Amino acid sequence: MATAGGGGGAASGGRRTCLLLCFVSLLAGLCQANSVERKIYIPLNRTAPCVRLLNATHQIGCQSSISGDTGVIHVVEEEEDLQWVLTDGPNPPYMVLLEGKLFNRKLMDKLKGTQRISGLAVAVAKPSPVDGFSPSVECPNDGFGIYSDSYGSEYAHCKKLRWNPEGNGLAYEDFDFPIFLLEDENETQIIKQCYWDHNRGVNGSAPAYPLCAMQLFSHMHAVTSTVTCMRRSAIQSTFSINPEVVCDPLADFNVWNTLNPLNASGKLEPGDKVIIAATRLDSRSFFWNVAPGAESAVGSFITQLAVAEALQKAPDVAALPRNVMFVFFQGETFDYIGSSRMVYDMEKGKFPVQLENIHSFVELGQVALKNSSDLWMHTDPMSQRDESIYTEVQNLLAILKNSSNGVPNVTMKEANSQNSLPPSSFQRFLRSQNISGVVLTDHPLAFYNRYYQSIYDTAENIGLKYPPTLTPDQAMDFVTDIAKSLASVATVLGRALYQLAGGTNHTAVEADPVTVSRLLYGFLVKANNSWFQSVIRQDLKVFLGDGPLQHYIAVSSPINTTYVVQYVLANLTGTVVNLTREQCQDPKKAQDANKDLYEYAWVQGPEDPSGTGRLPQCVRSTARLAKAVSPAFELQQWGSSEYSTWTESRWKDIRARIFLVASKELEFVTLIVGLSILFVSLIVTYFINAKADILFTTPREPGAVSY
C-alpha cells in the first residue's frame, strides 16, 4: 500500500511540475508579445482619420470594417498610377498612398466605385494645391439661415451667388472605406520606402512576396442618421444597466462678455439696448480634429479679441449709454449650432440679453485675405424692406464708413445691396426678428479663401511669415503685415462700436498691433507660448499643446480653442484684483466680489523676474461661457429641419500600421503546418497523460523494507 501511494504522489507531482512549466512558458510568451508585435508592425502615430458624422437625414464620412481594413500599399503620385490599382494590379485589395495634390472629387469618385481598394492614406501637399481645395459645399449651411423657399426664395440655396465656388463637397460624402491623413512627412517616407523595397515590380512585372501592406482601424458605431443613432442610444440608456451610446451631439460653449458688467443671473429691462459684435470660433476639414481655420475663423476672432481690448481701454467706456456684447459663436460650421442656441435661449428667457434688447448687430466674417484696402459691408435685402430697419442699416453703414477715416489700409465699401448675406451667424438672429446689422468681410462676392474648411487653411494661406532668425518670444511680438492689416480692421470696428454705444470721441479707440501679433502666433503657430501660459489656469495648460490649435467643435467640451479664447478675452478686458487663491476660486469668501457681475480666474500669471517660476494672480472679468448645443437635442427633435442635428459617431479604436504580408499560398501552408503541430501535440499530450503513472513513477529507494 505504501509503495502504491508513493507512486501516485510522484505522478501527481509530475503533472504539477508539467503544468507549472507550461504556465511559466505561457507567461514568458505573454511578456514577449509586445516585443514580437513591434518586430512585425510599424505603427503610424501621426495620423488623422476621417470619421462618421450624421444629421437628420444622412451619414457622411468614413469607416473601416470592425477588425480594420488591410491592403497592399500602392503609391499614387500621378493620376496614371491609378491604373494599377483599378485594373492591372494582381494583388487587390490595395491601400492607396495618395499625394495630397491628387485628393480631389474626380479621383475620389473613381475610388468610391471600385472594390479593389480597402482604404486611403493621404499625404499633405506641400506647397498647398495652387488651384485651391475646399472639401466643403458651394453653399455652406444651406437651409439653416434666413433664406428659404418660403422667405427670400430668390436668395435660397445660393441661387444668385455661390459663396464657396471651390467647394467640392467631399467632406459631405459617405465612404465605405477608411481614409487617413498622414501628418508626419517622416512616416510618409517610411511607407514609401517600404513600397519601393517590396511592392515595385521589375520591368512591369508583378512584385514578389512578401509585400508591404497597411492596416487602418476606424470602425464607427453609428449608422444611417442622427434620428437612428439617438433613438438607439436612448433605448440603451432606458433598458440597459451599461448602456452603449453610439453617437454624441456636436456641442461646446459660446464665449461672451460685455463692455460693462451686467447681471448674468437676471434679465435686462426692455429699454436697455445692447450692440452685439459677433464672430465664429470653429472650422473643420475632411479629417477629424484637423481644422486650422486661419482665414475661415481665426483671422476674424483674433480681430474681435483686439477690438474688445481696444474698447475696454477707451477713457469713458463706463459712461456709454449702451452696452456692447462680444460673442464668439461655437459650432457655426455645422448649421449654426452656437448662434441658434443663443437665439433659442434669448427667446425662452434663459439668457440675460433678450432679442428686444439688441440695438444692432455687427459680425466679422472672413477678413484676413484682403487683396487691397477694401473691407466689404454686406447687408440683408429682405429685412430692409421694413423702412425703419432700412434707415437703421443706412445709419450703421455711415458710422462704419466714418470710423475708417484716418485708419491706414482700410476702406469701407458696400457690397451689392441686392445680394444675400454671406453665411453668417447674423442670419439666425434675422430668422427670429428683423434687426439692423452688417457682416464685414474681405470679399465683395464669393470667398477669396480657396481653402475654406480644409487642412490647407493655415498660417501660410493668410501670408503669416517670420524672419528665420527670431526666437519664439521675438516671433510672438514681431508685427507682421497681416497683423497690421487686422489691427486696422479692429480699429475701424472698435470705433464703430464705440459710436453705436453712444460715444463721441471715437478716435481714442486704437487696436494694438502687438496684441494681434501675439494672437496670430499663439493660435496659428505655437499655442504653448509664454503669453498663453500666463493667462490660463494651471490645470488647463495641457490644452495648449505643442503646435497651433485646431478649431473643430467635437463632442467633449469645452475644447482647447474655447478655453484659450475665454482666458485671453479675460486677460485683455479684465482686471487683476487683490484676492487670495481661495477667495478667487470661491468669490463668496471675498467681501467685495460679485459673482453675478463678474467671473474670477486664478491664472498662472507672468514669469517671476528671479526665474523661480510664475506669479499667479486673480483676474476679474465679464468673460463667460454659454451653451452651444443645438436646441434640437434639448427638445429631442432629432429630425428637426429648424435646428442643427449634427452628431459624431463613437468608436473604440483609431490606429494605423504597416507590415509585410506573405502570399496566400504561404499563409495556407503555414496554417496547415500549425494545425498539424497542434493536433500532434494534443495526441502526444493525451498519451503522456494516460501513461503518467508509469512515466513519472520514481524508483524505490534501495534498502527499503516493507513489513
Side-chain angles (χ1 to χ4, degrees):
M1 294 292 296
T3 304
S12 177
R15 282 195 292 271
R16 285 196 297 269
T17 302
C18 183
L19 290 172
L20 180 60
L21 289 173
C22 290
F23 176 75
V24 172
S25 299
L26 178 62
L27 184 61
L30 290 173
C31 292
Q32 294 298 319
N34 288 335
S35 177
V36 172
E37 183 176 352
R38 284 197 298 269
K39 291 178 180 178
I40 296 175
Y41 300 103
I42 298 177
L44 304 174
N45 299 316
R46 293 285 308 282
T47 62
C50 161
V51 303
R52 175 164 291 163
L53 299 171
L54 310 101
N55 65 9
T57 56
H58 292 81
Q59 66 179 31
I60 63 173
C62 323
Q63 77 158 355
S64 73
S65 62
I66 194 167
S67 57
D69 289 328
T70 303
V72 174
I73 296 172
H74 188 75
V75 176
V76 176
E77 296 178 326
E78 301 294 339
E79 194 166 345
E80 294 75 21
D81 297 335
L82 274 180
Q83 186 71 21
W84 183 266
V85 173
L86 298 177
T87 58
D88 298 345
N91 304 304
Y94 285 96
M95 192 68 70
V96 176
L97 173 55
L98 187 68
E99 289 295 328
K101 64 181 180 180
L102 299 177
F103 186 55
N104 55 50
R105 183 62 180 262
K106 178 183 175 183
L107 185 140
M108 291 303 296
D109 284 343
K110 290 181 179 180
L111 297 183
K112 192 175 181 180
T114 179
Q115 298 299 317
R116 288 176 57 87
I117 75 159
S118 56
L120 194 66
V122 181
V124 178
K126 291 189 177 181
S128 301
V130 293
D131 295 330
F133 174 74
S134 173
S136 184
V137 291
E138 292 183 333
C139 192
N141 290 2
D142 184 25
F144 288 86
I146 181 63
Y147 310 111
S148 66
D149 294 333
S150 59
Y151 183 86
S153 58
E154 63 269 38
Y155 304 109
H157 317 304
C158 295
K159 289 178 183 176
K160 282 196 171 185
L161 179 58
R162 294 179 303 156
W163 289 105
N164 183 35
E166 297 290 341
N168 57 34
L170 266 183
Y172 292 85
E173 288 289 320
D174 184 41
F175 296 92
D176 60 357
F177 52 82
I179 304 176
F180 277 53
L181 177 69
L182 301 174
E183 299 182 273
D184 190 329
E185 288 186 59
N186 292 330
E187 290 188 344
T188 303
Q189 288 304 314
I190 289 172
I191 298 170
K192 287 183 176 181
Q193 189 64 51
C194 189
Y195 164 78
W196 290 327
D197 291 344
H198 298 279
N199 293 8
R200 299 188 72 180
V202 179
N203 298 325
S205 63
Y209 283 95
L211 298 176
C212 191
M214 181 184 295
Q215 190 172 28
L216 302 178
F217 298 84
S218 62
H219 181 66
M220 301 286 121
H221 292 180
V223 294
T224 308
S225 66
T226 289
V227 176
T228 301
C229 79
M230 290 299 291
R231 184 178 66 245
R232 290 177 179 175
S233 296
I235 292 172
Q236 284 274 340
S237 300
T238 303
F239 297 104
S240 176
I241 298 176
N242 297 307
E244 184 175 347
V245 177
V246 296
C247 69
D248 300 284
L250 293 180
D252 198 67
F253 290 88
N254 299 320
V255 181
W256 67 281
N257 84 324
T258 51
L259 195 59
N260 291 311
L262 57 82
N263 189 337
S265 61
K267 295 183 181 66
L268 292 181
E269 295 297 326
D272 294 334
K273 296 299 180 181
V274 173
I275 297 96
I276 291 183
T279 189
R280 68 169 57 188
L281 284 179
D282 68 304
S283 183
R284 70 165 299 198
S285 74
F286 186 87
F287 301 99
W288 183 77
N289 204 32
V290 181
E295 160 73 342
S296 62
V298 179
S300 55
F301 75 65
I302 278 176
T303 304
Q304 181 149 299
L305 286 168
V307 173
E309 179 193 41
L311 265 183
Q312 200 69 49
K313 291 180 178 179
D316 58 344
V317 64
L320 294 176
R322 302 188 191 99
N323 210 342
V324 178
M325 183 172 79
F326 295 96
V327 188
F328 301 80
F329 289 116
Q330 187 62 270
E332 298 302 273
T333 299
F334 294 95
D335 299 336
Y336 306 121
I337 293 174
S339 55
S340 63
R341 179 52 185 255
M342 181 164 283
V343 172
Y344 175 82
D345 286 344
M346 287 180 172
E347 291 175 333
K348 300 299 181 182
K350 298 179 180 180
F351 194 78
V353 178
Q354 311 297 299
L355 288 172
E356 63 186 11
N357 298 123
I358 300 176
H359 174 273
S360 51
F361 197 108
V362 183
E363 180 172 354
L364 277 176
Q366 299 180 94
V367 293
L369 283 177
K370 289 196 293 114
N371 58 6
S372 65
S373 63
D374 298 337
L375 190 66
W376 296 90
M377 301 178 289
H378 300 261
T379 56
D380 169 47
M382 296 298 296
S383 59
Q384 289 188 80
R385 294 176 181 178
D386 181 326
E387 188 173 341
S388 62
I389 296 295
Y390 173 81
T391 302
E392 291 174 4
V393 169
Q394 294 307 307
N395 178 59
L396 175 56
L397 296 177
I399 288 175
L400 281 163
K401 290 178 181 177
N402 178 58
S403 299
S404 66
N405 294 335
V407 180
N409 302 318
V410 179
T411 303
M412 304 302 297
K413 289 190 174 182
E414 292 184 47
N416 189 336
S417 61
Q418 296 307 307
N419 285 335
S420 62
L421 282 172
S424 52
S425 306
F426 182 37
Q427 292 198 33
R428 287 303 302 194
F429 285 78
L430 287 174
R431 194 164 171 138
S432 294
Q433 179 175 302
N434 280 347
I435 300 169
S436 66
V438 64
V439 178
L440 305 179
T441 72
D442 54 23
H443 52 89
L445 297 170
F447 297 163
Y448 285 157
N449 185 5
R450 295 176 300 138
Y451 306 110
Y452 181 71
Q453 291 182 8
S454 85
I455 60 175
Y456 303 110
D457 190 7
T458 59
E460 291 77 11
N461 182 33
I462 63 173
L464 183 62
K465 298 178 181 178
Y466 298 96
T469 57
L470 298 181
T471 66
D473 282 347
Q474 289 172 335
M476 184 171 63
D477 290 335
F478 182 78
V479 180
T480 60
D481 290 340
I482 183 63
K484 294 175 184 176
S485 174
L486 293 181
S488 294
V489 174
T491 297
V492 172
L493 179 54
R495 291 179 177 181
L497 293 174
Y498 177 83
Q499 292 182 76
L500 288 168
T504 55
N505 185 24
H506 68 274
T507 56
V509 178
E510 188 85 26
D512 186 356
V514 175
T515 296
V516 177
S517 299
R518 290 184 166 193
L519 292 168
L520 284 168
Y521 183 84
F523 283 105
L524 293 176
V525 181
K526 185 180 181 182
N528 193 16
N529 59 70
S530 57
W531 184 45
F532 277 11
Q533 288 172 4
S534 69
V535 303
I536 207 162
R537 294 198 323 246
Q538 170 76 17
D539 61 310
L540 298 179
K541 64 181 182 180
V542 295
F543 281 76
L544 297 178
D546 293 326
L549 293 177
Q550 302 299 321
H551 310 293
Y552 171 66
I553 179 175
V555 296
S556 57
S557 56
I559 63 167
N560 305 33
T561 301
T562 303
Y563 267 134
V564 176
V565 167
Q566 180 193 10
Y567 281 90
V568 168
L569 181 63
N571 177 268
L572 294 176
T573 62
T575 305
V576 176
V577 292
N578 187 25
L579 296 180
T580 65
R581 178 173 183 171
E582 185 181 17
Q583 291 172 327
C584 191
Q585 293 176 340
D586 186 5
K588 293 179 181 178
K589 297 180 179 179
Q591 186 175 2
D592 299 328
N594 191 327
K595 188 68 174 175
D596 290 331
L597 293 180
Y598 298 103
E599 286 285 308
Y600 294 82
W602 185 256
V603 301
Q604 293 192 96
E607 293 182 349
D608 191 331
S610 64
T612 57
R614 293 188 172 275
L615 301 172
Q617 55 193 14
C618 185
V619 174
R620 184 187 70 187
S621 74
T622 60
R624 301 176 184 272
L625 299 180
K627 283 184 180 180
V629 183
S630 172
F633 297 102
E634 181 165 310
L635 300 170
Q636 294 191 354
Q637 297 175 358
W638 305 319
S640 172
S641 59
E642 171 70 14
Y643 299 113
S644 171
T645 54
W646 285 103
T647 54
E648 181 185 273
S649 174
R650 287 198 179 186
W651 61 80
K652 286 185 179 178
D653 199 12
I654 296 286
R655 57 192 171 101
R657 60 189 184 183
I658 63 174
F659 58 97
L660 294 181
V661 62
S663 66
K664 298 296 182 183
E665 293 79 8
L666 180 57
E667 289 179 344
F668 181 74
V669 170
T670 303
L671 175 63
I672 295 301
V673 171
L675 290 174
S676 300
I677 293 173
L678 174 62
F679 288 132
V680 170
S681 300
L682 290 174
I683 293 170
V684 171
T685 302
Y686 172 77
F687 281 108
I688 289 175
N689 187 62
K691 302 296 183 180
D693 291 346
I694 299 173
L695 294 174
F696 298 109
T697 300
T698 56
R700 186 178 301 169
E701 294 183 9
V705 180
S706 297
Y707 296 96

